[in-house]
Amino acid sequence: MDLLWLIPAFPLLGFVILFATQGRLGELPASLIGAGSMGLSALAAAFVGYEFVSSGETVFTQTLWSWMQVGGFNPSFTLYLDGLSLVMMGVITGVGFLIHVYATGYMKGEDGFSRFFSYMNLFVFAMLMLVLGDNLLVLYLGWEGVGLCSYLLIGFYHHDPANGYAARKAFVVTRVGDTAMALGMFLLFKELGTMDIQAALSGAQATWPEGSPVVTAIALLLLGGAVGKSAQLPLQTWLPDAMAGPTPVSALIHAATMVTAGVYLIARTHDLFLLSSTAQLMVASIGLATLFISAFTALTQTDLKRILAYSTMSQIGYMFFALGVGAWSAAIFHLMTHAFFKALLFLAAGSVILALHHEQDIFKMGGLWRRLRIPFVSMLIGSAALAALPLTSGYYSKDLILLKSWSFNPLFWAGASVAALLTALYSVRMISIVFFGEMRTEPHEHKAWNLSLPLIVLSVLALAGGWFGLAPLAAVLPDGGIDHDPYAAWLVWGTASIPIIGVVLGFFIFYPPAKSHERNLSAGVKSLQGFLFSGWGFDTLYRTLIERPFNAIAHWNRNDIVDSLFTLIVTIATWTSNLIARSQTGQLRWYAANMVIGTVIVLMIAVVVS
């Protein structure tokens, strides 16, 4: 376990080499460094994980060096390994490595090939520091690091202004959540005097009673940070536009790294949320609202990657929902299984898009199942896991969440179940339109091994990744690991049948694909469809309430009233200086007269005052 430091060190070293060479390396050396460093990190993670589980220990820490020392404040770069960080580390390095391998084929021939992998390596390093950090400062370093890298990767094709806008949007929107998180950290440090996560959680339990306003405020501020990074309501609008980046970036952001950071933060600081029922209810409510809204929106999208983007928002919503209803381990379990099938879906979608000359409109696809066999089977398996069909990895994790939510509140179970039905519907719609019916664009399949092998491995994980559970979580999260509490037979069978009903219903609605195209819809239905297509109008709402008023104020204040104030000070000082300068004539009689007049004035004042 002493090799724990190597896990983030390998991708950092890859970034440094690629950054220092400034793109002078060819594609093969850049691929070997970029993907190879991730492979070494994944091997180190597997070795350390095996040692950790075999040792029977529940916690391992490794202090690298002190960060700073100010009085009694002495935060250090310390890595913290327990069951939760072990799962996150495995997902980040394992799935991240497969995405890197795929990217070596997908990005072949692109300008900035070396730059792309330097950003990807830095992204993974930042995410590893986030999940392995022993204190909130190291966690926040990784937190801001993934924010920076997401900006760089989303705007990778910077020659298109629209991509730059999408990158800035992601950066600015997540900054709102990051500010809330920073305030929560400051408040936690002010009250408890420590940034060490475990010490802070222990101190919170010893200091505050359940329902304390202070702990509620801290939990809600941390939730604000989690909402921004994980694209949950009301800060979800950046994620669909993040599809401007290359498809491997979408897979990395949406499956293994950035959007799961908020889920990890809440799980890591679970003691704070357990002390505040208000905050925990808010987590569940935000998750439920997001998964419901995103599922409806995905049902109307025409861009293949945006369908998957809204699907990601919905599935992260399930994780928030699970954390809020007390299914802590099930949330992390779903995080892991989601990483498998969502990475698979994005990479398979990338293969389809690449074969169709970067076409992303699903209504310009069709009839591809015979020509693109591996991407077709991969998307079929990924969609089955996304819909949570029995025996897939998604079934085991999502079913646990739904069953647990029944004991929390049947209404919450009902809302999440409707969203599960919608997930099956839009999954069938996507598969039907993309792969069946009339072929609208002639494909050319790329048969490179580095495009196919990651799909095959992820297909196996998407099918079997949920069969073994997550035993290491038992010693970390408050529910003691994934439970299998007895539930009524009707509830178990009813919950399991929801995705099956959704698939059957979707087949009748969307197959053959002609049913989904050029329908004669009434004006009211078209308006509703447009509303859902726009993501329930959140961009328009924010543009009306925030962007336009801000731009109007900026236009009114285009000369900057603050600058005007300083200009006034300069003007007064200049005028006074000129006035005083005029009194300096250099004539002795003038100075003597001024002295006499001044003396008379002073004497007159003295007489009057006395």
Side-chain angles (χ1 to χ4, degrees):
M1 290 186 286
D2 291 336
L3 299 180
L4 180 62
W5 66 275
L6 284 175
I7 298 170
F10 281 127
L12 178 62
L13 180 62
F15 160 74
V16 170
I17 294 172
L18 293 171
F19 180 78
T21 52
Q22 297 184 356
R24 290 191 290 269
L25 295 176
E27 288 190 359
L28 180 59
S31 298
L32 291 174
I33 294 170
S37 62
M38 274 305 306
L40 292 173
S41 181
L43 286 174
F47 179 75
V48 170
Y50 175 78
E51 276 198 331
F52 180 76
V53 173
S54 300
S55 69
E57 295 183 24
T58 56
V59 172
F60 172 75
T61 59
Q62 185 177 47
T63 301
L64 303 179
W65 61 81
S66 291
W67 189 344
M68 66 183 81
Q69 186 166 359
V70 182
F73 183 55
N74 186 26
S76 63
F77 272 95
T78 299
L79 305 181
Y80 182 89
L81 183 64
D82 64 0
L84 177 58
S85 51
L86 176 66
V87 172
M88 296 297 298
M89 180 179 72
V91 168
I92 294 165
T93 58
V95 177
F97 170 62
L98 293 172
I99 293 171
H100 273 70
V101 171
Y102 179 90
T104 61
Y106 187 90
M107 298 299 293
K108 187 175 182 179
E110 294 275 6
D111 292 335
F113 186 91
S114 179
R115 175 169 59 90
F116 173 82
F117 279 98
S118 70
Y119 294 165
M120 292 277 278
N121 279 180
L122 184 61
F123 201 157
V124 173
F125 164 74
M127 190 67 191
L128 286 169
M129 293 308 297
L130 191 160
V131 302
L132 291 174
D134 177 67
N135 61 68
L136 289 170
L137 278 180
V138 177
L139 185 152
Y140 197 69
L141 171 70
W143 191 272
E144 291 302 308
V146 295
L148 167 66
C149 294
S150 68
Y151 168 78
L152 296 172
L153 286 166
I154 293 169
F156 179 77
Y157 297 125
H158 52 80
H159 54 273
D160 187 346
N163 296 340
Y165 171 79
R168 291 194 304 275
K169 182 178 181 180
F171 194 79
V172 171
V173 173
T174 55
R175 223 51 27 211
V176 177
D178 293 354
T179 303
M181 179 182 171
L183 292 174
M185 290 168 52
F186 295 154
L187 183 56
L188 188 65
F189 179 73
K190 174 182 176 294
E191 295 294 327
L192 299 179
T194 181
M195 297 296 284
D196 182 87
I197 295 174
Q198 301 307 315
L201 297 181
S202 300
Q205 290 179 318
T207 303
W208 295 309
E210 187 173 343
S212 168
V214 176
V215 76
T216 297
I218 293 171
L220 290 177
L221 286 169
L222 294 179
L223 174 59
V227 161
K229 273 290 185 288
S230 292
Q232 299 293 285
L233 286 170
L235 301 178
Q236 82 286 6
T237 56
W238 67 269
L239 192 64
D241 291 331
M243 296 300 97
T247 301
V249 173
S250 303
L252 192 64
I253 290 178
H254 292 224
T257 55
M258 184 169 169
V259 295
T260 61
V263 180
Y264 170 79
L265 177 66
I266 296 174
R268 174 58 71 198
T269 58
H270 61 265
D271 287 322
L272 298 176
F273 289 87
L274 289 174
L275 289 172
S276 175
S277 57
T278 301
Q280 195 165 352
L281 179 62
M282 186 65 72
V283 173
S285 301
I286 287 174
L288 180 61
T290 305
L291 69 91
F292 194 77
I293 288 173
S294 302
F296 265 114
T297 305
L299 200 54
T300 62
Q301 297 300 302
T302 58
D303 185 299
L304 180 57
K305 287 175 66 175
R306 288 180 77 90
I307 294 173
L308 298 178
Y310 281 107
S311 166
T312 297
M313 287 167 54
S314 183
Q315 298 307 302
I316 299 295
Y318 268 108
M319 298 172 207
F320 270 67
F321 176 72
L323 294 169
V325 301
W328 300 91
S329 297
I332 304 302
F333 190 22
H334 194 56
L335 184 154
M336 182 188 74
T337 60
H338 173 262
F340 298 151
F341 63 72
K342 187 52 60 69
L344 174 63
L345 284 168
F346 267 111
L347 298 187
S351 295
V352 172
I353 292 167
L354 199 62
L356 298 182
H357 317 283
H358 293 279
E359 178 59 64
Q360 295 182 197
D361 187 341
I362 60 174
F363 288 114
K364 293 181 181 179
M365 301 178 184
L368 300 175
W369 74 274
R370 287 190 179 90
R371 299 288 297 276
L372 304 176
R373 293 294 179 88
I374 293 178
F376 166 63
V377 174
S378 299
M379 286 203 76
L380 196 62
I381 292 172
S383 297
L386 171 63
L389 289 178
L391 301 182
T392 63
S393 62
Y395 162 76
Y396 292 101
S397 55
K398 190 181 289 187
D399 198 59
L400 284 171
I401 295 172
L402 290 174
L403 291 174
K404 187 72 175 181
S405 67
W406 176 266
S407 56
F408 180 81
N409 189 320
L411 290 178
F412 276 59
W413 174 87
S417 297
V418 171
L421 184 72
L422 294 172
T423 302
L425 285 176
Y426 69 69
S427 298
V428 173
R429 174 180 179 265
M430 176 178 67
I431 293 295
S432 175
I433 296 173
V434 171
F435 290 103
F436 295 98
E438 178 186 352
M439 184 182 297
R440 300 180 181 88
T441 304
E442 184 68 24
H444 60 93
E445 186 172 5
H446 296 265
K447 296 183 179 181
W449 69 269
N450 48 359
L451 291 175
S452 301
L453 182 61
L455 296 181
I456 295 169
V457 175
L458 286 169
S459 293
V460 174
L461 292 173
L463 285 173
W467 294 359
F468 307 106
L470 288 177
L473 294 176
V476 183
L477 297 175
D479 54 1
I482 296 171
D483 58 45
H484 297 278
D485 295 338
Y487 294 95
W490 69 268
L491 179 62
V492 173
W493 286 103
T495 300
S497 66
I498 290 170
I500 299 174
I501 294 171
V503 168
V504 173
L505 188 60
F507 179 82
F508 283 108
I509 296 174
F510 299 115
Y511 190 86
K515 291 184 179 180
S516 305
H517 195 47
E518 300 296 336
R519 292 185 174 184
N520 294 320
L521 302 176
S522 65
V525 173
K526 285 184 178 179
S527 297
L528 177 60
Q529 188 180 52
F531 174 71
L532 297 177
F533 182 83
S534 69
W536 295 52
F538 276 93
D539 277 320
T540 302
L541 178 66
Y542 293 157
R543 197 173 296 118
T544 303
L545 296 181
I546 300 173
E547 185 179 336
R548 287 175 182 168
F550 182 84
N551 287 338
I553 293 171
H555 179 74
W556 171 78
N557 190 37
R558 60 189 178 277
N559 295 323
D560 198 336
I561 193 170
V562 176
D563 277 355
S564 300
L565 177 62
F566 285 107
T567 302
L568 177 62
I569 294 172
V570 172
T571 302
I572 293 173
T574 302
W575 180 82
T576 305
S577 175
N578 291 334
L579 183 63
I580 295 173
R582 289 181 181 179
S583 67
Q584 307 304 307
T585 62
Q587 298 178 2
L588 185 60
R589 285 180 295 178
W590 169 255
Y591 294 148
N594 280 324
M595 291 175 63
V596 171
I597 293 170
T599 302
V600 171
I601 292 173
V602 170
L603 290 174
M604 289 177 62
I605 292 173
V607 170
V608 172
V609 171
S610 61

